[in-house]
Amino acid sequence: MTSALLLDPDATAARLPYPALVAETAALLQDTSVQVPERRVQPLPGGGSLFVMPALDSRVAITKLITFTPANAGTGRPAIQGDVVVFDVATGERRLILDGPTVTARRTAAVSALAAQTLAPNRSGPLLIVGAGVQGRAHLEAFAQTLGVARVVIASRSDASAQALAQHARALGLKARVTQDADAALADCPLAVTCTPASGVVLRAAPRADGFLCAVGAFTPRMVELGPELCRHVAAQGTIVVDTGDALHEAGDLLQAGLDVAALPTLGGWLRQPSPARAGPVLFKSCGWAGWDLAAARTALRGL
């Protein structure tokens, strides 16, 4: 039996270039062989959670096994830890073991980039990033590499983190500045992403009429990043799209705004049968799905 290839964070990232990952994610949403059972989220003592997330298609089966520990914020320990194990369906062989946090960061940003490519009325930027952690960095890189974003504005509760992300952006050749007022910056940014721990509202202002806002931090009914008035404004004046039907139980921002999440279109449905363009801002709510991890596994398997 061939030994599985164990990839560390750097090696995992190298096998998941954003353009290829975005393309594979779009392809997965057209693949009728994909099956994604409901994920298991087991609460842990101390406020953490254990996630067990399986998915498969006709060739590949994966399970992501990770812990999410919000209390690690600011300690130097990552909030997400674990692995994605990749199996060959035909032989049962374990082919790859990918670094779970790296997969989570990159596939989440790739889904956001795909949503922006599909839904954003104006892709010119600047891009407002609210939250300067792992997801903020991943979204910066993904939007720069797949949408050609050249200017970013960064907001974070930690000025040191915001400055560090701005410096990283400049090292990539982008123009970057830090703001203390994300709501005010939204008026100048047709693209925006919120990627915080979702412990409270970080954005309240209404997006521009040509704005695209992607919210990725909240994935339980009690988590929230966006003010309820903001969500209701977009529902009335523009378009809200969710990543999958699982958002019905997980999209805290939308649920707390009292919106009928079950009636909202999904990204996959939109790609398969595009709806007529509607004027006004667009909100994409991403909650996470093991199918995105399967897309990452399919990308990583190329060339093996």
Side-chain angles (χ1 to χ4, degrees), residues 22 25-26 29 107-128 139-140 142-149 190-194 210-216 239 241-243 266-268 270-271 280-286 292:
V22 170
T25 301
L29 289 172
R107 60 79 148 156
T108 303
V111 172
S112 299
L114 176 61
Q117 289 178 349
T118 306
L119 302 166
N122 181 349
R123 306 179 198 173
S124 64
L127 167 67
L128 171 64
H139 279 78
L140 184 154
F143 275 62
Q145 293 179 30
T146 64
L147 281 94
V149 167
L191 298 172
V193 178
T194 56
D210 64 346
F212 170 82
L213 171 59
C214 180
V216 306
T239 304
V241 177
V242 296
D243 60 345
T266 65
L267 179 60
W270 197 286
L271 285 168
V282 176
L283 167 58
F284 176 65
K285 180 69 194 98
S286 181
W292 311 139

Side-chain angles (χ1 to χ4, degrees), residues 34-84:
V34 170
Q35 299 180 51
V36 183
E38 184 176 354
R39 68 187 179 191
R40 175 67 182 267
V41 182
Q42 177 63 46
L44 300 175
S49 301
L50 173 68
F51 287 72
V52 182
M53 301 171 63
L56 66 140
D57 61 22
S58 60
R59 300 175 294 110
V60 181
I62 67 107
T63 296
K64 183 161 77 171
L65 182 64
I66 58 170
T67 54
F68 174 65
T69 312
N72 282 353
T75 67
R77 293 186 297 272
I80 296 174
Q81 301 174 72
D83 301 294
V84 176

